[in-house]
Amino acid sequence: DFDTPFVNRDADGPLPNDRRHQFKMRGVYAFNENWSVGSTFSAMSGTPLSIIGGGNPYDGTRNFYSYYICVQNCTASDISTRVFELNERGAAGRTPSIFDLSANITYQHPLGEGNKLRVDLSAFNLFNQEQGIQYNELLQDRSVTNNNVQYGQANSWQSPRYGQLTVSVDF
């Protein structure tokens, strides 16, 4: 991206991993020496969405991805006559917030001097939230004449609800 000075020109705005708010809470309750339950809750605000185009008004020698979108004369062979519009980084809003609740139950049993058996059953994403976490931000290809029909659609999602059984022996 950094082989020409125009790639990041006017690329001001929040970075793609900017989450303004995050909240995490973890807790464990032991019923006795053998049994315990635990839970984890996390909530994260969305990340910024950008509109990425395939050219810019500063360099007519070749096309590359930038925050400029061609809006007029996009098919002109003389690149200097094309009209571009700046969409700063993060100008397309934010992704939805993500929530996750996970829980586990653990059984521990002593097996003699310093040895113990531990069985842990965990369930992740209990409410089976399937929120998109990454979205397609490419609006135009490098020819700036074709708009991407998948722009704005999610291309990565939260992991679905799943479980994990762990058995371990300390000796």
Side-chain angles (χ1 to χ4, degrees):
D1 281 347
F2 303 98
D3 55 352
T4 180
F6 303 111
V7 171
N8 286 314
R9 183 172 180 147
D10 298 321
D12 299 325
L15 295 174
N17 62 349
D18 176 52
R19 292 194 185 272
R20 298 290 165 101
H21 304 95
Q22 290 190 34
F23 176 77
K24 294 181 182 179
M25 186 170 66
R26 294 185 173 103
V28 175
Y29 179 76
F31 294 105
N32 54 40
E33 291 181 11
N34 299 98
W35 291 96
S36 63
V37 294
S39 180
T40 301
F41 174 76
S42 67
M44 298 181 285
S45 62
T47 58
L49 287 171
S50 297
I51 303 172
I52 298 174
N56 74 64
Y58 301 109
D59 185 6
T61 60
R62 62 186 181 149
N63 290 329
F64 50 83
Y65 297 120
S66 73
Y67 294 98
Y68 286 90
I69 305 300
C70 185
V71 293
Q72 190 175 354
N73 297 333
C74 298
T75 58
S77 58
D78 182 5
I79 295 177
S80 65
T81 63
R82 295 179 181 177
V83 179
F84 290 89
E85 180 180 288
L86 173 64
N87 290 283
E88 289 186 346
R89 183 184 299 160
R94 289 187 165 266
T95 63
S97 297
I98 297 173
F99 302 93
D100 185 16
L101 177 65
S102 301
N104 72 326
I105 185 166
T106 302
Y107 174 75
Q108 296 184 80
H109 183 74
L111 297 176
E113 196 173 310
N115 302 329
K116 68 178 175 180
L117 168 72
R118 179 182 171 118
V119 179
D120 185 53
L121 177 63
S122 301
F124 300 94
N125 193 4
L126 283 174
F127 296 122
N128 203 25
Q129 299 287 313
E130 295 182 24
Q131 195 64 258
I133 55 175
Q134 289 183 342
Y135 289 77
N136 190 323
E137 297 179 303
L138 183 63
L139 179 64
Q140 294 177 331
D141 63 13
R142 290 189 181 186
S143 70
V144 301
T145 58
N146 300 315
N147 283 348
N148 181 4
V149 295
Q150 295 180 353
Y151 169 76
Q153 295 181 9
N155 54 23
S156 180
W157 293 265
Q158 283 178 271
S159 296
R161 178 180 25 220
Y162 67 98
Q164 175 179 320
L165 175 65
T166 307
V167 178
S168 63
V169 178
D170 293 341
F171 55 93

